Short mmCIF file of all heavy atoms in Angstrom, two decimals:
data_model
loop_
_atom_site.label_atom_id
_atom_site.label_comp_id
_atom_site.label_asym_id
_atom_site.label_seq_id
_atom_site.Cartn_x
_atom_site.Cartn_y
_atom_site.Cartn_z
N HIS A 244 49.21 -115.65 -47.01
CA HIS A 244 49.22 -114.32 -47.71
C HIS A 244 47.93 -113.48 -47.37
O HIS A 244 47.07 -113.20 -48.25
CB HIS A 244 49.39 -114.49 -49.26
CG HIS A 244 48.51 -115.50 -49.84
ND1 HIS A 244 47.25 -115.32 -50.46
CD2 HIS A 244 48.61 -116.96 -49.86
CE1 HIS A 244 46.59 -116.42 -50.87
NE2 HIS A 244 47.58 -117.44 -50.70
N ASP A 245 47.84 -113.25 -46.11
CA ASP A 245 46.61 -112.66 -45.56
C ASP A 245 46.97 -111.13 -45.29
O ASP A 245 47.91 -110.73 -44.68
CB ASP A 245 46.32 -113.32 -44.12
CG ASP A 245 44.91 -112.99 -43.65
OD1 ASP A 245 44.52 -111.99 -44.11
OD2 ASP A 245 44.50 -113.70 -42.79
N PRO A 246 46.05 -110.33 -45.89
CA PRO A 246 46.30 -108.85 -45.72
C PRO A 246 46.27 -108.45 -44.16
O PRO A 246 46.70 -107.37 -43.86
CB PRO A 246 45.11 -108.24 -46.47
CG PRO A 246 44.17 -109.24 -46.64
CD PRO A 246 44.82 -110.55 -46.73
N LEU A 247 45.59 -109.32 -43.36
CA LEU A 247 45.56 -109.05 -41.93
C LEU A 247 46.95 -108.92 -41.27
O LEU A 247 47.05 -108.32 -40.09
CB LEU A 247 44.68 -109.96 -41.11
CG LEU A 247 43.25 -110.11 -41.51
CD1 LEU A 247 42.51 -111.11 -40.61
CD2 LEU A 247 42.55 -108.75 -41.22
N SER A 248 47.94 -109.33 -42.01
CA SER A 248 49.35 -109.15 -41.56
C SER A 248 49.81 -107.82 -41.38
O SER A 248 50.69 -107.33 -40.69
CB SER A 248 50.26 -109.94 -42.46
OG SER A 248 49.94 -111.27 -42.56
N LEU A 249 49.15 -106.88 -42.27
CA LEU A 249 49.50 -105.47 -42.26
C LEU A 249 48.37 -104.53 -42.03
O LEU A 249 48.51 -103.43 -41.55
CB LEU A 249 50.17 -104.99 -43.55
CG LEU A 249 51.52 -105.52 -43.92
CD1 LEU A 249 51.94 -105.21 -45.37
CD2 LEU A 249 52.53 -105.05 -42.90
N PHE A 250 47.10 -104.99 -42.22
CA PHE A 250 45.99 -104.19 -42.30
C PHE A 250 44.81 -104.77 -41.40
O PHE A 250 44.55 -105.95 -41.42
CB PHE A 250 45.38 -103.92 -43.68
CG PHE A 250 46.50 -103.49 -44.67
CD1 PHE A 250 46.88 -104.41 -45.66
CD2 PHE A 250 47.09 -102.40 -44.45
CE1 PHE A 250 47.79 -104.11 -46.58
CE2 PHE A 250 48.23 -102.01 -45.59
CZ PHE A 250 48.47 -102.88 -46.47
N SER A 251 44.02 -103.82 -40.74
CA SER A 251 42.83 -104.26 -40.01
C SER A 251 41.63 -104.00 -40.75
O SER A 251 41.32 -103.00 -41.18
CB SER A 251 42.77 -103.40 -38.57
OG SER A 251 43.90 -103.68 -37.72
N ARG A 252 40.80 -105.08 -41.02
CA ARG A 252 39.64 -105.07 -41.87
C ARG A 252 38.66 -105.89 -41.29
O ARG A 252 38.81 -106.98 -40.85
CB ARG A 252 40.19 -105.57 -43.21
CG ARG A 252 41.37 -104.87 -43.81
CD ARG A 252 41.93 -105.55 -45.04
NE ARG A 252 41.11 -105.27 -46.21
CZ ARG A 252 40.62 -106.15 -47.09
NH1 ARG A 252 40.69 -107.41 -46.72
NH2 ARG A 252 39.95 -105.83 -48.11
N PHE A 253 37.40 -105.41 -41.49
CA PHE A 253 36.16 -106.17 -40.97
C PHE A 253 35.25 -106.36 -42.26
O PHE A 253 35.25 -105.42 -43.06
CB PHE A 253 35.57 -105.44 -39.92
CG PHE A 253 36.22 -105.38 -38.62
CD1 PHE A 253 37.09 -104.27 -38.47
CD2 PHE A 253 36.19 -106.44 -37.70
CE1 PHE A 253 37.84 -104.22 -37.27
CE2 PHE A 253 36.82 -106.27 -36.45
CZ PHE A 253 37.62 -105.18 -36.23
N ASP A 254 34.57 -107.40 -42.27
CA ASP A 254 33.68 -107.74 -43.37
C ASP A 254 32.30 -106.95 -43.03
O ASP A 254 31.69 -107.10 -42.10
CB ASP A 254 33.30 -109.22 -43.44
CG ASP A 254 32.36 -109.50 -44.55
OD1 ASP A 254 31.83 -108.62 -45.18
OD2 ASP A 254 32.10 -110.64 -44.80
N PRO A 255 32.02 -105.83 -43.91
CA PRO A 255 30.98 -105.04 -43.59
C PRO A 255 29.63 -105.73 -43.55
O PRO A 255 28.67 -105.12 -43.05
CB PRO A 255 31.03 -103.89 -44.71
CG PRO A 255 31.79 -104.53 -45.80
CD PRO A 255 32.75 -105.53 -45.06
N GLU A 256 29.49 -106.88 -44.27
CA GLU A 256 28.15 -107.58 -44.27
C GLU A 256 28.11 -108.37 -42.90
O GLU A 256 26.93 -108.92 -42.62
CB GLU A 256 28.18 -108.47 -45.40
CG GLU A 256 28.28 -107.81 -46.82
CD GLU A 256 28.14 -108.75 -48.02
OE1 GLU A 256 28.01 -109.97 -47.74
OE2 GLU A 256 28.09 -108.30 -49.08
N GLU A 257 29.13 -108.58 -42.15
CA GLU A 257 29.04 -109.29 -40.91
C GLU A 257 29.25 -108.48 -39.68
O GLU A 257 28.53 -108.68 -38.71
CB GLU A 257 30.16 -110.25 -40.89
CG GLU A 257 30.29 -111.06 -39.68
CD GLU A 257 31.51 -111.99 -39.77
OE1 GLU A 257 31.59 -113.07 -40.46
OE2 GLU A 257 32.54 -111.68 -39.03
N THR A 258 30.08 -107.38 -39.66
CA THR A 258 30.37 -106.66 -38.49
C THR A 258 30.37 -105.12 -38.81
O THR A 258 30.82 -104.71 -39.98
CB THR A 258 31.76 -107.09 -38.10
OG1 THR A 258 31.89 -108.54 -37.93
CG2 THR A 258 32.12 -106.41 -36.79
N ARG A 259 30.05 -104.32 -37.88
CA ARG A 259 30.23 -102.81 -38.02
C ARG A 259 30.83 -102.40 -36.74
O ARG A 259 30.76 -102.88 -35.69
CB ARG A 259 28.84 -102.21 -38.17
CG ARG A 259 27.88 -102.32 -36.92
CD ARG A 259 26.51 -101.70 -37.21
NE ARG A 259 25.66 -101.87 -35.94
CZ ARG A 259 25.74 -101.11 -35.04
NH1 ARG A 259 26.68 -100.11 -34.94
NH2 ARG A 259 24.91 -101.28 -33.90
N LEU A 260 31.63 -101.27 -36.96
CA LEU A 260 32.19 -100.54 -35.80
C LEU A 260 31.20 -99.96 -34.96
O LEU A 260 30.22 -99.26 -35.56
CB LEU A 260 33.33 -99.70 -36.26
CG LEU A 260 34.51 -100.28 -36.79
CD1 LEU A 260 35.48 -99.31 -37.44
CD2 LEU A 260 35.24 -101.09 -35.65
N VAL A 261 31.37 -99.80 -33.68
CA VAL A 261 30.51 -99.06 -32.76
C VAL A 261 31.14 -97.69 -32.51
O VAL A 261 32.24 -97.60 -32.06
CB VAL A 261 30.26 -99.79 -31.43
CG1 VAL A 261 29.44 -98.97 -30.56
CG2 VAL A 261 29.53 -101.19 -31.74
N GLY A 262 30.42 -96.62 -32.91
CA GLY A 262 30.98 -95.39 -32.70
C GLY A 262 32.16 -94.90 -33.64
O GLY A 262 32.25 -95.67 -34.63
N GLU A 263 32.84 -93.91 -33.34
CA GLU A 263 33.90 -93.51 -34.23
C GLU A 263 35.20 -93.55 -33.56
O GLU A 263 36.19 -93.08 -34.14
CB GLU A 263 33.63 -92.06 -34.67
CG GLU A 263 32.30 -91.86 -35.40
CD GLU A 263 32.04 -90.42 -35.81
OE1 GLU A 263 32.78 -89.62 -35.28
OE2 GLU A 263 31.07 -90.16 -36.54
N VAL A 264 35.41 -94.19 -32.42
CA VAL A 264 36.68 -94.26 -31.68
C VAL A 264 37.23 -95.64 -31.67
O VAL A 264 36.57 -96.65 -31.32
CB VAL A 264 36.34 -93.71 -30.36
CG1 VAL A 264 37.72 -93.91 -29.40
CG2 VAL A 264 36.04 -92.35 -30.22
N VAL A 265 38.49 -95.69 -31.99
CA VAL A 265 39.26 -96.89 -31.87
C VAL A 265 40.37 -96.61 -30.73
O VAL A 265 41.03 -95.48 -30.95
CB VAL A 265 39.94 -97.47 -33.03
CG1 VAL A 265 40.93 -98.58 -32.76
CG2 VAL A 265 38.94 -97.82 -34.17
N LYS A 266 40.53 -97.36 -29.75
CA LYS A 266 41.47 -97.03 -28.57
C LYS A 266 42.86 -97.46 -29.11
O LYS A 266 43.03 -98.65 -29.69
CB LYS A 266 41.03 -97.61 -27.40
CG LYS A 266 39.83 -97.09 -26.69
CD LYS A 266 40.15 -95.69 -26.29
CE LYS A 266 39.01 -95.03 -25.45
NZ LYS A 266 39.20 -93.69 -24.98
N THR A 267 43.86 -96.77 -28.84
CA THR A 267 45.22 -96.94 -29.31
C THR A 267 46.20 -96.80 -28.12
O THR A 267 46.10 -95.81 -27.36
CB THR A 267 45.62 -95.98 -30.43
OG1 THR A 267 44.61 -96.10 -31.40
CG2 THR A 267 46.96 -96.37 -31.07
N ARG A 268 47.12 -97.67 -28.01
CA ARG A 268 48.41 -97.51 -27.13
C ARG A 268 49.57 -98.13 -27.61
O ARG A 268 49.47 -99.35 -28.20
CB ARG A 268 47.91 -98.06 -25.67
CG ARG A 268 48.99 -97.73 -24.67
CD ARG A 268 48.36 -97.84 -23.26
NE ARG A 268 49.34 -97.43 -22.18
CZ ARG A 268 49.65 -96.19 -22.02
NH1 ARG A 268 49.09 -95.22 -22.54
NH2 ARG A 268 50.57 -95.94 -21.02
N GLY A 269 50.69 -97.41 -27.49
CA GLY A 269 51.94 -98.04 -27.91
C GLY A 269 53.01 -97.04 -27.89
O GLY A 269 52.95 -95.94 -27.33
N ARG A 270 54.14 -97.29 -28.73
CA ARG A 270 55.23 -96.34 -28.74
C ARG A 270 55.98 -96.53 -30.05
O ARG A 270 55.79 -97.54 -30.76
CB ARG A 270 56.13 -96.49 -27.55
CG ARG A 270 56.83 -97.84 -27.55
CD ARG A 270 57.45 -98.03 -26.31
NE ARG A 270 58.26 -99.33 -26.25
CZ ARG A 270 57.63 -100.62 -25.97
NH1 ARG A 270 56.22 -100.56 -25.76
NH2 ARG A 270 58.25 -101.72 -26.01
N MET A 271 56.69 -95.41 -30.47
CA MET A 271 57.51 -95.49 -31.69
C MET A 271 58.91 -95.00 -31.14
O MET A 271 58.92 -94.01 -30.49
CB MET A 271 56.90 -94.44 -32.60
CG MET A 271 57.70 -94.30 -33.94
SD MET A 271 57.08 -92.96 -35.11
CE MET A 271 55.32 -93.39 -35.21
N THR A 272 59.90 -95.69 -31.61
CA THR A 272 61.26 -95.40 -31.46
C THR A 272 62.06 -95.46 -32.63
O THR A 272 61.72 -96.01 -33.60
CB THR A 272 61.92 -96.27 -30.34
OG1 THR A 272 61.77 -97.63 -30.75
CG2 THR A 272 61.10 -96.19 -28.88
N PHE A 273 63.30 -94.77 -32.60
CA PHE A 273 64.10 -95.01 -33.79
C PHE A 273 65.70 -94.98 -33.32
O PHE A 273 65.98 -94.42 -32.23
CB PHE A 273 63.88 -93.88 -34.76
CG PHE A 273 64.22 -92.33 -34.26
CD1 PHE A 273 65.47 -91.75 -34.58
CD2 PHE A 273 63.36 -91.64 -33.39
CE1 PHE A 273 65.86 -90.48 -34.03
CE2 PHE A 273 63.68 -90.44 -32.89
CZ PHE A 273 65.00 -89.87 -33.22
#
Side-chain angles (χ1 to χ4, degrees):
H244 47 95
D245 193 339
L247 295 180
S248 298
L249 289 176
F250 313 112
S251 295
R252 309 167 76 236
F253 294 90
D254 184 349
E256 296 184 359
E257 175 187 286
T258 309
R259 65 177 181 85
L260 288 170
V261 175
E263 299 178 353
V264 174
V265 173
K266 291 292 186 174
T267 307
R268 187 157 183 81
R270 65 192 181 279
M271 180 189 306
T272 58
F273 68 95

